[in-house]
Amino acid sequence: MGPHHPSTHGVFRMDVALDGEKVIKLKPVFGYLHRNHEQIAETASYLAMMPYTDRLDYFCSLTNNWAYALAVEKLVGQAVPERAEYIRVILAELTRVQNHASAIGFLIQEMGASGTPLMYAFKMREKILDLFESLTGSRMMCNYMRFGGCRVDVSEPWLAQARKVVEGLPKFVDEYEALLTGNEILMARTQGVGVLRPELAVNAGITGPMLRASGVNYDIRKVDHYGIYDRFKFRVPLGDHGDIFDRYMVRVLEMRESIGILEQALKEVPGGPVMDPKAKIRGFKPKPGEAYGRIEAPKGELGFYLISTGNPEPYRYRVRPPSLINLTVLEDMCLGHNVADVVLIFGSVDIVLGEVDR
């Protein structure tokens, strides 16, 4: 299947062995979109790599920026102003909402539904992308975070528009769930299909909504308290069965929790600078050392491992992408199911090929 099958979300291939309609073997095949991302980083300055991170998970460029900025800030011990931390949280949670809504829309479309759920999600996503564009100048390739803060400040009109968008999100999620959750076809096609056992999920390094749908309570926002997440009240939704339906439902519930975080952050965002005045932009040469920075990206743990030898370029730049790691259990989830179920199981993983093939 693939590398140009409609369900593969890009140039991805699955070698599937069947007994009739039953899957007896499945091998994911990567590499069609390899862009030499990590090697480029070893010949570019630290700052020059920020826009490259946008191209990893291009649905979630702002969270990509944050993970990379966090790694560099750990490497040099860089502080971040409080206002910038709030802005980062607001942008990250807006990114999570639009990612989950879109992922669900694609999943339902692959189930054979018309484009209605996906277009409904994209209608909401447009409002969030309008916010991103007015702040950063770009809808998807935002290049907004900097080591020690953010590139530009948000204005009061922008915050007012963000509050207006967030006020409409609970109604959107209510209507989206009412449209889908009780649908007989959705339940028949997803419940008990593509089960991922919690033991296998942990052993395979699965993270994000896939891990939590299997009942494992692990969210890096709670574990590491990076940024200022320890200031916000939110739950970590968990599934009971680890099937496609649980992976769908966890994303719905995570959207609701993100809305709660957004309401708190937009209410409490303080004044002040958005860049640490001590942050060094030109002539940036970290002392020799290494650091690993990670965040709870919408698809799971996104981490950057950096090694500095004191030069303007990283000696080593390694990406830990959730899409690639989460795909490693695809065969385990598909064995014994019909070939038609493979498309849905794959869709429930929620990948972007840009971070699978670096």
Side-chain angles (χ1 to χ4, degrees):
M1 299 172 68
H4 291 290
H5 191 279
S7 76
T8 58
H9 297 264
V11 280
F12 172 72
R13 181 183 179 194
M14 291 178 279
D15 284 343
V16 187
L18 303 173
D19 181 6
E21 285 286 310
K22 298 289 183 182
V23 176
I24 58 174
K25 187 177 180 181
L26 186 148
K27 178 184 177 184
V29 183
F30 315 122
Y32 294 96
L33 198 65
H34 181 57
R35 292 155 301 139
N36 216 33
H37 181 97
E38 295 180 0
Q39 182 66 47
I40 289 171
E42 294 171 10
T43 59
S45 70
Y46 286 86
L47 182 59
M49 282 309 296
M50 185 61 78
Y52 281 90
T53 65
D54 294 339
R55 276 80 178 168
L56 290 168
D57 179 357
Y58 40 79
F59 259 72
C60 306
S61 69
L62 287 161
T63 48
N64 299 346
N65 287 177
W66 193 1
Y68 177 52
L70 189 67
V72 176
E73 286 158 2
K74 282 189 173 183
L75 185 64
V76 299
Q78 177 67 62
V80 179
E82 189 174 25
R83 182 175 175 87
E85 294 281 25
Y86 272 88
I87 294 170
R88 288 179 174 188
V89 168
I90 292 167
L91 296 174
E93 296 309 316
L94 285 170
T95 297
R96 197 179 315 276
V97 170
Q98 62 89 21
N99 177 86
H100 285 357
S102 301
I104 291 169
F106 283 121
L107 175 65
I108 303 304
Q109 188 176 48
E110 287 161 2
M111 200 175 293
S114 68
T116 301
L118 180 60
M119 291 301 103
Y120 194 73
F122 270 37
K123 181 181 177 181
M124 179 278 299
R125 181 172 177 259
E126 285 297 302
K127 298 177 182 178
I128 294 177
L129 293 189
D130 285 345
L131 286 172
F132 292 169
E133 184 178 19
S134 65
L135 176 61
T136 71
S138 177
R139 293 163 57 78
M140 294 179 69
M141 306 301 157
C142 297
N143 184 23
Y144 178 69
M145 307 291 181
R146 292 293 182 267
F147 316 136
C150 302
R151 178 160 52 88
V152 294
D153 198 359
V154 297
S155 64
E156 283 306 316
W158 189 93
L159 288 172
Q161 183 61 29
R163 293 185 184 104
K164 184 178 179 181
V165 170
V166 171
E167 284 175 8
L169 289 178
K171 182 182 178 183
F172 160 76
V173 178
D174 289 342
E175 293 176 348
Y176 205 37
E177 190 177 359
L179 177 68
L180 299 173
T181 301
N183 183 279
E184 293 180 8
I185 298 174
L186 183 145
M187 291 190 290
R189 294 292 308 277
T190 61
Q191 290 182 337
V193 178
V195 172
L196 176 62
R197 295 178 291 103
E199 300 83 7
L200 175 60
V202 172
N203 290 339
I206 306 303
T207 54
M210 271 190 71
L211 178 66
R212 293 187 285 275
S214 296
V216 180
N217 189 349
Y218 186 82
D219 187 311
I220 297 172
R221 293 172 295 176
K222 292 283 191 181
V223 174
D224 286 2
H225 296 299
Y226 65 91
I228 51 170
Y229 273 110
D230 56 341
R231 302 186 187 184
F232 304 116
K233 294 180 180 179
F234 64 98
R235 297 183 308 113
V236 178
L238 302 176
D240 293 323
H241 308 99
D243 55 13
I244 297 176
F245 187 83
D246 276 2
R247 291 194 279 277
Y248 154 77
M249 203 65 229
V250 162
R251 290 185 173 98
V252 171
L253 296 174
E254 285 193 3
M255 283 194 285
R256 296 190 184 279
E257 296 303 317
S258 290
I259 293 167
I261 294 171
L262 284 164
E263 290 170 345
Q264 296 172 67
L266 286 166
K267 183 180 179 181
E268 301 169 4
V269 59
V274 295
M275 274 294 291
D276 184 353
K278 297 180 181 179
K280 196 171 185 180
I281 303 298
R282 297 185 182 279
F284 187 78
K285 295 182 180 180
K287 294 179 180 178
E290 59 185 288
Y292 179 68
R294 64 176 187 167
I295 68 165
E296 184 66 42
K299 294 175 174 62
E301 178 181 334
L302 173 62
F304 287 82
Y305 172 62
L306 302 171
I307 298 178
S308 170
T309 55
N311 292 324
E313 308 85 17
Y315 172 78
R316 184 70 174 100
Y317 168 106
R318 174 80 169 89
V319 185
R320 191 271 185 209
S323 289
L324 174 65
I325 307 301
N326 291 351
L327 269 180
T328 59
V329 292
L330 184 60
E331 180 182 51
D332 300 272
M333 295 189 292
C334 290
L335 290 178
H337 289 294
N338 291 335
V339 66
D341 295 327
V342 170
V343 173
L344 298 186
I345 295 168
F346 176 67
S348 72
V349 177
D350 182 21
I351 70 158
V352 163
L353 263 297
E355 69 175 16
V356 173
D357 294 332
R358 281 108 46 239

